[in-house]
């Protein structure tokens, strides 16, 4: 039996009617960047590649490549490698993270893997099982 599920990410700029040219001119202003959200009822198996910011409130079994910030929400879980500008973890990551700027592990977060980053912030109460390599 084969079942094909098509997922749609919520894209704020598309909802507001901004075209690709307008969006590209707004990329340098973080307040105006595009944000895509994977809802808590969603599960993705495979690689996600995105130019902008991404919030994961559901489950991802695969790698994430982002040109922006990746936020793992309180119910979010990622099993795979994450690369991007920055990562904020409120939920759970099982896999390596490599970012250019900062990794933030919030008090409720659970992380297992190797972090490669320029800067890291770990709140009291965060679960961190792995290693961290500072680059930059």
């Amino acid at each position: 039996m084969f079942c094909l599920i098509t997922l749609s990410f919520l894209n704020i700029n598309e909802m507001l009617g901004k075209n690709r040219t307008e969006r590209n001119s707004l990329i340098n202003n973080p307040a105006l960047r595009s944000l895509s959200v994977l809802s808590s009822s969603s599960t993705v198996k495979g690689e996600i590649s995105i130019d902008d910011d991404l919030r994961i409130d559901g489950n991802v079994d695969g790698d994430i490549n982002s040109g922006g910030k990746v936020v793992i929400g309180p119910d979010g879980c990622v099993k795979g490698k994450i690369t991007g500008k920055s990562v904020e973890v409120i939920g759970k990551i099982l896999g390596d993270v490599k970012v250019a700027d900062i990794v933030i592990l919030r008090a409720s977060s659970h992380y297992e893997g190797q972090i490669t980053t320029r800067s890291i912030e770990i709140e009291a109460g965060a679960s961190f099982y792995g290693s961290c390599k500072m680059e930059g």
Side-chain angles (χ1 to χ4, degrees):
M1 176 182 230
F2 180 74
C3 178
L4 177 64
I5 299 173
T6 303
L7 294 176
S8 219
F9 289 102
L10 172 64
N11 188 304
I12 303 297
N13 284 332
E14 288 172 10
M15 286 178 45
L16 297 175
K18 295 189 184 321
N19 64 34
R20 188 148 184 87
T21 305
E22 286 178 45
R23 187 179 73 161
N24 288 339
S25 68
L26 301 175
I27 291 292
N28 292 329
N29 185 341
L32 301 174
R33 288 181 64 117
S34 177
L35 171 66
S36 295
V37 178
L38 181 65
S39 72
S40 60
S41 63
S42 299
T43 299
V44 173
K45 291 186 180 190
E47 182 177 303
I48 296 175
S49 293
I50 186 167
D51 291 334
D52 298 319
D53 298 343
L54 175 64
R55 181 178 174 97
I56 304 288
D57 287 319
N59 296 295
V60 175
D61 188 357
D63 297 344
I64 298 173
N65 299 302
S66 171
K69 180 178 183 176
V70 177
V71 176
I72 312 302
D75 297 323
C77 180
V78 175
K79 295 177 184 174
K81 182 179 179 180
I82 300 175
T83 57
K85 265 191 171 171
S86 64
V87 171
E88 180 177 356
V89 186
I90 305 164
K92 186 175 188 177
I93 296 178
L94 305 173
D96 296 342
V97 169
K98 185 172 184 174
V99 297
D101 292 333
I102 187 168
V103 172
I104 301 170
L105 301 177
R106 297 292 181 200
S108 61
S109 69
H110 178 92
Y111 180 83
E112 295 180 28
Q114 178 171 329
I115 294 174
T116 304
T117 184
R118 186 174 54 120
S119 180
I120 188 166
E121 178 181 323
I122 304 174
E123 289 184 353
S127 298
F128 177 42
Y129 304 95
S131 61
C132 182
K133 180 179 178 184
M134 306 302 283
E135 289 185 350

